[in-house]
Amino acid sequence: MQEPTILVVDDEADLANLLKVSLQKEGYKQIYTASTIRDAWTSFQQTTPDIILIDVMLPDGEGYDLCRRIREVSHVPVLFMSAKNEEIDKILGLAIGGDDYITKPFSPKEVAYRVKAQLRRAGYQTQDTITNIVEKTLQIGPFQLNADETEVHKNGVLLELTAKEIGLMACFMHNPNRILSKETLFERVWGEDFFGSDNTVMVHIRRLREKIEQDASNPLYITTVKGLGYKFVMPKEAQE
C-alpha cells in the first residue's frame, strides 16, 4: 500500500519538529511542515497529503479558514491542534469539517496515536507495520493484541469482541498499570468529547469483563479505582 503523506501546519517550529520526529518513530516517512496558511495551501496542492494536522492560530489567519478551503476540494482527515480548550472551540472545529481536535499542551505520542487511528479508518498502514506484524504484536500476560489492533487473543484463543471492546483493550494494553478515567477511555475509543457519558463506558467495561474475566463480578485484569477510573493489571499467576 502507498506510504501515507502527512502535513503538519504550525508556526511553532520546535513543536512542528517534535511532532515530525514522533510520527517518524511510528514509521511514517513522508511528513511535510508549514508555518502559515499560504505555505500550507501550497504544500497541500503539491503533496496531496493523506492527513493534515492544523494549528488553529496561525500568523496569517485561523486554521479553521484553511480547513474550510481544503473542504471545498478534499475530504482528507483534518486534526486540529489548539490551546483553546473551551467546548465551543471543539464544536466549531468539528462543525467546519475537522475530524479530531486536540488541546495544547499535549503529548506528541498521543497525537501520533490519533493520526494512526485516523489513517487506519482511511485504510492506511505504514510499510513498517505491514512488514513487521509479528514484532509489533503486543503481548501482556495471557493477552495478545495484533499489530493493526483488530484482534485480541487470550492464551492463544481469539476473543469475540466488538470494535469498541477491542478499542478498550487496546487502550488498556498500551497503558498497563495506569489509571484511565472514563473520560479518557470515551474520547479515545469513541472519538468524541465525553459530555458525561459514564454509563456508556460502564456498560462496555462490564461486557468486556464478561468476555475476558473468569468472574466478571470479581475482575482480576480490569480493576476499578473508585472515583478515578479503571486500571489494567496482571495478577501474579498471570505473570509467572
Side-chain angles (χ1 to χ4, degrees):
M1 184 176 290
Q2 183 180 356
E3 181 74 23
T5 299
I6 301 172
L7 174 60
V8 178
V9 187
D10 199 308
D11 61 327
E12 296 182 51
D14 290 342
L15 178 58
N17 289 330
L18 186 62
L19 289 172
K20 185 174 182 178
V21 170
S22 181
L23 290 166
Q24 288 173 332
K25 288 181 179 179
E26 295 298 320
Y28 301 109
K29 300 178 178 63
Q30 299 188 62
I31 305 171
Y32 298 87
T33 60
S35 58
T36 65
I37 291 177
R38 180 178 179 179
D39 291 344
W41 181 250
T42 299
S43 183
F44 169 75
Q45 293 177 305
Q46 293 176 344
T47 65
T48 315
D50 298 293
I51 187 169
I52 308 175
L53 284 66
I54 305 176
D55 184 22
V56 171
M57 301 302 294
L58 295 168
D60 53 347
E62 291 191 330
Y64 298 142
D65 299 325
L66 175 60
C67 182
R68 290 189 185 96
R69 193 171 181 182
I70 290 171
R71 281 292 171 260
E72 293 177 357
V73 297
S74 172
H75 294 292
V76 60
V78 170
L79 190 159
F80 282 116
M81 305 177 292
S82 175
K84 297 182 177 181
N85 60 5
E86 295 296 327
E87 181 180 307
I88 186 63
D89 297 309
K90 298 179 181 180
I91 292 175
L92 176 60
L94 298 175
I96 65 172
D99 296 277
D100 201 353
Y101 190 108
I102 184 169
T103 55
K104 299 179 180 180
F106 49 66
S107 161
K109 182 74 174 179
E110 180 182 358
V111 176
Y113 178 87
R114 296 199 185 200
V115 167
K116 184 183 294 186
Q118 290 292 336
L119 289 172
R120 187 166 60 241
R121 294 188 188 108
Y124 286 94
Q125 291 178 309
T126 64
Q127 188 60 37
D128 180 61
T129 298
I130 295 172
T131 57
N132 295 282
I133 295 295
V134 175
E135 289 81 355
K136 288 190 174 293
T137 295
L138 180 60
Q139 178 85 43
I140 296 182
F143 299 100
Q144 186 180 68
L145 176 70
N146 69 340
D148 59 2
E149 300 185 356
T150 59
E151 293 182 352
V152 178
H153 290 75
K154 180 181 180 183
N155 294 322
V157 178
L158 177 65
L159 297 173
E160 297 296 329
L161 305 181
T162 66
K164 290 294 187 292
E165 290 165 353
I166 293 174
L168 287 169
M169 281 298 291
C171 284
F172 285 129
M173 292 181 70
H174 282 293
N175 298 277
N177 298 311
R178 286 186 57 189
I179 299 173
L180 298 178
S181 67
K182 295 173 185 176
E183 179 178 1
T184 295
L185 291 170
F186 188 83
E187 291 182 350
R188 291 187 182 181
V189 176
W190 278 262
E192 303 172 9
D193 288 331
F194 186 56
F195 293 129
S197 304
D198 292 59
N199 193 54
T200 299
V201 176
M202 290 173 61
V203 168
H204 281 77
I205 290 291
R206 184 174 68 248
R207 291 175 179 170
L208 177 59
R209 281 171 168 164
E210 291 172 351
K211 296 179 181 181
I212 73 169
E213 304 278 1
Q214 184 173 351
D215 182 357
S217 299
N218 297 286
L220 295 176
Y221 303 110
I222 301 177
T223 62
T224 299
V225 182
K226 190 173 182 179
L228 296 176
Y230 301 95
K231 183 190 290 189
F232 185 65
V233 298
M234 286 296 110
K236 291 183 179 180
E237 57 266 28
Q239 300 177 28
E240 296 176 350

